[in-house]
Amino acid sequence: LIGNSRLIERPATASGTWFLEGMRMPDFKITPDQSDLDGIARDLRFHPSPVTEPATLAPEQVDHFNQNGYVQPISIFDETEVTEHRAYFDRLLEKTIAEGGDSYSISTAHLKYGRVYDLLTHPKIIACVKDLLGPDIIGWGSHFFCKMPGDGKRVAWHQDASYWPLTPSKAITCWLAIDDADIQNACMRFLAGSHHDGHLTWRKSTPEEHNTLNQTVEDTTKYGTPIDNILRAGQCSFHADLLLHGSEANKSDRRRCALTLRYTTPDVRAGLDWQQKGVVVSGADPGNYWANPPRPETE
């Protein structure tokens, strides 16, 4: 329940519109319109982890996150568990494509599918997030990024915070590998330390770039050497919302799928009704700002 309203599914559409009983849920875009973002005053500065005595991560890992903007690899699921998650995604992808979507369009999935909600709230993942953000956590995002073999699409260098109507920039991403991710099938890459440079200038991507998103940060060599985020299926990485990252096109004969899970702290404020996405996954939301929707019944 959200107040006295119940989250229910209406007939499926390609956009994945969801409703509160008696009201329409916003149609959240993967990349909001820039004109909408320009109208929101945002504090886009890195906020280091406030945690001094982590319970799950090592202190050195928290320090690495603060200094470099990411930490990896973190083992979450064993082979049997991740095989089950992969089989679930295979079924979900088949359903999505049949409804007119593609391998990148399964977004805000925790509001639609109970099993994705379970991953967003998974204790092993949340234990790591608590060591980076503190005890009170909001899980607000879930998006499958699936590069099919030879699909030709890349992700240009970008900062997540540039796309998000959130302030201040205290969000992190858990990048959970559903398939093995390596150089051959275009694993994600980080530019370590680039999160300390604030919100960087970008230009709109051109069609020739075949960018899955729509922003490109140029001249990135001055921010460092790319670090390949090589992960086995069932492992994850965590990265800050201001860290420059991207990936090349998958030219291999193997798929590269990951589930991105997004988290922030309850003091963060959201534009474009994005507070409707937020689930209290640890601690409390003292102001009851985030909607805290229930687990969907649809698996």
Side-chain angles (χ1 to χ4, degrees):
L1 294 176
I2 304 177
N4 294 318
S5 300
R6 182 166 57 92
L7 187 68
I8 57 176
E9 182 182 7
R10 298 302 190 199
T13 66
S15 64
T17 301
W18 288 72
F19 297 80
L20 285 175
E21 194 168 46
M23 67 175 281
R24 186 181 187 276
M25 283 290 282
D27 186 11
F28 300 112
K29 297 180 179 180
I30 295 174
T31 54
D33 293 338
Q34 189 59 41
S35 59
D36 292 332
L37 291 172
D38 289 342
I40 301 170
R42 293 180 292 166
D43 174 8
L44 299 182
R45 295 175 294 170
F46 176 63
H47 296 264
S49 172
V51 179
T52 57
E53 297 183 0
T56 300
L57 299 177
E60 295 78 14
Q61 290 176 305
V62 177
D63 289 343
H64 190 276
F65 175 83
N66 286 335
Q67 294 172 16
N68 297 288
Y70 71 93
V71 59
Q72 62 85 268
I74 308 295
S75 295
I76 301 294
F77 298 117
D78 62 27
E79 185 175 351
T80 299
E81 291 169 325
V82 77
T83 297
E84 292 177 358
H85 293 315
R86 187 182 303 113
Y88 170 73
F89 173 73
D90 290 345
R91 296 191 297 271
L92 186 57
L93 178 60
E94 182 179 4
K95 175 178 179 290
T96 299
I97 291 175
E99 293 172 356
D102 60 29
S103 64
Y104 297 96
S105 59
I106 308 174
S107 183
T108 319
H110 66 285
L111 295 187
K112 309 167 190 177
Y113 307 109
R115 290 190 61 167
V116 180
Y117 182 101
D118 293 342
L119 289 170
L120 182 74
T121 61
H122 196 282
K124 286 187 177 181
I125 296 174
I126 300 306
C128 298
V129 177
K130 289 169 65 175
D131 285 345
L132 298 175
L133 291 180
D136 299 327
I137 304 169
I138 304 298
W140 62 265
S142 49
H143 185 187
F144 284 99
F145 273 87
C146 180
K147 289 191 174 188
M148 302 302 286
D151 75 352
K153 296 180 181 179
R154 61 188 295 269
V155 180
W157 291 110
H158 70 283
Q159 298 170 296
D160 291 336
S162 188
Y163 290 98
W164 296 342
L166 305 177
T167 186
S169 54
K170 293 183 180 180
I172 66 172
T173 292
C174 170
W175 201 93
L176 177 63
I178 302 299
D179 303 323
D180 291 343
D182 51 41
I183 297 171
Q184 286 70 38
N185 67 348
C187 64
M188 187 166 54
R189 301 184 300 162
F190 302 129
L191 287 179
S194 56
H195 61 307
H196 294 297
D197 291 294
H199 190 203
L200 300 174
T201 301
W202 56 271
R203 62 164 175 80
K204 189 174 181 180
S205 305
T206 63
E208 293 76 20
E209 292 179 84
H210 302 290
N211 187 11
T212 301
L213 302 177
N214 60 13
Q215 295 182 10
T216 299
V217 176
E218 296 185 301
D219 301 323
T220 57
T221 54
K222 60 187 173 184
Y223 298 111
T225 302
I227 306 296
D228 294 311
N229 189 34
I230 297 173
L231 299 172
R232 297 194 310 274
Q235 292 183 325
C236 75
S237 62
F238 295 91
H239 68 266
D241 57 1
L242 284 168
L243 184 72
L244 274 172
H245 62 288
S247 60
E248 296 300 322
N250 181 7
K251 298 179 181 179
S252 77
D253 59 0
R254 294 182 294 120
R255 191 181 73 179
R256 193 226 68 181
C257 175
L259 173 61
T260 58
L261 302 168
R262 322 285 194 176
Y263 301 93
T264 193
T265 52
D267 60 303
V268 169
R269 292 299 175 258
L272 309 181
D273 290 322
W274 278 31
Q275 73 275 12
Q276 299 292 341
K277 300 182 181 187
V279 177
V280 180
V281 298
S282 177
D285 174 15
N288 295 317
Y289 174 77
W290 297 86
N292 199 27
R295 183 187 189 276
E297 295 180 3
T298 300
E299 293 296 308

